[in-house]
Amino acid sequence: MDNALNAERDAVLAALKPVVDGIAATFGPVCDVVLHDYRDPEHSVVAVAGAVTGRTVGGAMSEIGLRVLAAGDEASDELNYVTRTRNGTAVKSSTIVLRDSTGAVFGALCVNVDVGALTQVHDLLGALAGAGAAAPAELPTTTFGNDIDSVVDALVDAHRSQQRGSWAELDRAERLELFGGLDTRGVFAVRGAVEQVAARLGISRASAYNYLSRARAAHDTSTGGSA
């Protein structure tokens, strides 16, 4: 990496650190703001204010960050999406990607607002007004872990829950779909993730690399890309 480009990225992150504190102070305890440096995915958090998602400086990127990392320079901002933390807190979030002067994505500024209390007030007002209670929408769960292993494990478990039975019960297409899905979510952009996924599934590292290679080849064929 060019030293001047790295210096530019460092300067952008340094300039945004007081912005992190300012945004969190404006919204109060229902908000946290996290600044990520994607040059170190396992320790991407360089600044944090607030405690909604329980992040700490030096922590890893979330599932959302892995998805941005997987998209590379084609990544776009993800604004006002609602998700749920592992402890059940409903959170409205925005992820704003950071680019250097070449257009390359190198980090993100993330704002997370706890909307659980607002939802309760909305439901209460609706009940008082006599409005019929609508079934709440099922929110996706996002792992905001401070270590990358917990994030990778959560993604593996989520994909396995969408399929039937154990690894041994999956057919070849389902196994390729599993590895392709994990790759799309950015799991394999993390160092050591192939080995971790292999251990989680109870297969050899060689088998994991083989399925990943085949899944990528299948994806390239379907999209008209080159392997």
Side-chain angles (χ1 to χ4, degrees), residues 6 11 39 47 60 64 69 108 112 118 123 133 145 153 159 162 192 204-205 222:
N6 257 332
R39 290 173 294 182
I64 300 163
L69 191 65
N112 307 293
L118 294 175
D123 292 344
D153 283 346
H159 276 275
Q162 298 169 7
S204 69
R205 184 177 67 172
S222 66

Side-chain angles (χ1 to χ4, degrees), residues 2-160:
D2 181 82
N3 288 337
L5 201 54
N6 257 332
E8 176 193 327
R9 295 176 174 185
D10 290 339
V12 171
L13 293 170
L16 284 173
K17 286 182 179 180
V19 175
V20 168
D21 293 323
I23 295 174
T26 299
F27 286 93
V30 297
C31 173
D32 77 10
V33 184
V34 186
L35 182 63
H36 290 276
D37 181 351
Y38 288 167
R39 290 173 294 182
D40 186 5
E42 291 87 353
H43 308 284
S44 69
V45 179
V46 295
V48 61
V52 173
T53 57
R55 318 308 299 282
T56 59
V57 172
M61 60 174 53
S62 69
E63 297 173 31
I64 300 163
L66 287 177
R67 186 166 66 242
V68 173
L69 191 65
D73 296 340
E74 301 301 316
S76 58
D77 298 340
E78 297 190 25
L79 306 176
N80 289 327
Y81 55 90
V82 181
T83 185
R84 189 179 298 280
T85 65
R86 301 294 285 185
N87 66 8
T89 301
V91 177
K92 185 171 76 168
S93 302
S94 288
T95 298
I96 303 164
V97 298
L98 305 178
R99 300 179 187 273
D100 59 30
S101 57
T102 70
V105 172
F106 70 92
L109 178 66
C110 303
V111 181
N112 307 293
V113 178
D114 180 350
V115 295
L118 294 175
T119 301
Q120 292 174 358
V121 171
H122 176 272
D123 292 344
L124 176 60
L125 292 175
L128 290 173
E138 184 67 27
L139 297 176
T141 299
T142 298
T143 299
F144 295 97
N146 278 310
D147 67 277
I148 201 68
D149 290 350
S150 65
V151 176
V152 171
D153 283 346
L155 283 169
V156 173
D157 290 343
H159 276 275
R160 289 180 67 185

